[in-house]
Amino acid sequence: MEQQLLNLAKAYLPIIQIGEGTAVAGGNTRRMNFEYQAFVFALRRTLEYFAVSVGAFFKHDVHRIPKLAHIISGAEPRDISEKVSLVLEESLRKLSDILPPDNKERSVRDQLAHWRAVDAGVFNITRAYGSNRILIAICGGGENLRPWDSEVGIEPRVLQEGEIATVRLTPVLSDQISRVENLIFGTYFEMGLLSKP
């Protein structure tokens, strides 16, 4: 879906005719917003189901992933619960964008569930000063995409003349899935439920 939007923007670039140093933002991204919101809820629910399964293994009633490491700490079998607690603590630190530590800020899921709608981002086309370098991006949104940040996007000075660059939400979400998978499979491995590949 995101790629279709980016392809559409590329196709209409000659018609839009963006001036140097200007940007065009907006557009109807409702369908992408709905898919993004469903993704956020599904990812969090996966973590909650996972917490229940780990709690059941250690014979504890667990319904929330943030408290899991604390609840199973010292449970029997103790050698396994200690290893699992360490894996959980390390992995949950790496998921701070999905599960902010100590409830210091609201996660995207919590905002969606309790406070407000959160969109996937705003469609944006930018043309750099003094050139024909174009950036097509999804900006802002729940993942706070900032396309000119070196970590997330592309610096305008590295684009070749006439080059069209894109910044996408999909790699950010794929990375979240990968980190959640690492948490789940790493924990199940320490519990003796999976073997290492």
Side-chain angles (χ1 to χ4, degrees):
M1 188 179 300
E2 181 180 35
Q3 188 60 51
Q4 289 173 345
L5 277 173
L6 297 173
N7 290 343
L8 187 64
K10 285 180 185 177
Y12 280 95
L13 274 176
I15 298 168
I16 298 171
Q17 297 192 12
I18 300 171
E20 291 180 14
T22 61
V24 175
N28 182 349
T29 58
R30 282 182 291 192
R31 286 179 58 198
M32 194 168 75
N33 292 342
F34 299 151
E35 292 296 326
Y36 170 69
Q37 292 165 3
F39 171 85
V40 169
F41 281 122
L43 193 63
R44 179 63 175 267
R45 194 69 201 135
T46 298
L47 287 168
E48 303 304 346
Y49 285 142
F50 164 71
V52 169
S53 74
V54 174
F57 179 88
F58 291 105
K59 298 180 175 43
H60 283 278
D61 193 22
V62 180
H63 296 288
R64 303 207 56 237
I65 187 75
K67 306 286 185 196
L68 180 59
H70 175 71
I71 291 171
I72 66 162
S73 181
E76 293 295 334
R78 190 174 297 263
D79 59 326
I80 295 176
S81 70
E82 289 173 6
K83 289 180 195 174
V84 169
S85 290
L86 289 174
V87 168
L88 287 168
E89 288 172 2
E90 181 182 327
S91 295
L92 289 174
R93 274 193 297 276
K94 294 176 182 175
L95 294 173
S96 63
D97 55 329
I98 301 169
L99 297 163
D102 303 324
N103 293 326
K104 290 183 179 176
E105 59 185 76
R106 292 185 185 114
S107 68
V108 173
R109 180 264 174 203
D110 290 344
Q111 291 176 54
L112 284 166
H114 306 294
W115 298 96
R116 64 182 183 93
V118 177
D119 61 23
V122 176
F123 190 65
N124 190 302
I125 303 172
T126 304
R127 181 174 172 194
Y129 278 108
S131 74
N132 197 26
R133 294 172 297 178
I134 305 285
L135 175 72
I136 302 172
I138 305 296
C139 302
E143 303 307 319
N144 197 23
L145 295 178
R146 296 181 300 261
W148 301 117
D149 285 358
S150 58
E151 289 180 16
V152 177
I154 299 168
E155 292 289 340
R157 66 185 176 288
V158 301
L159 297 179
Q160 300 300 314
E161 185 64 30
E163 182 180 356
I164 299 171
T166 58
V167 174
R168 301 181 56 203
L169 176 61
T170 303
V172 174
L173 302 183
S174 293
D175 177 62
Q176 289 179 357
I177 290 171
S178 178
R179 288 181 285 134
V180 167
E181 286 176 345
N182 289 339
L183 163 67
I184 293 170
F185 296 137
T187 302
Y188 286 163
F189 170 76
E190 292 298 343
M191 292 165 59
L193 302 175
L194 292 176
S195 58
K196 280 224 174 183

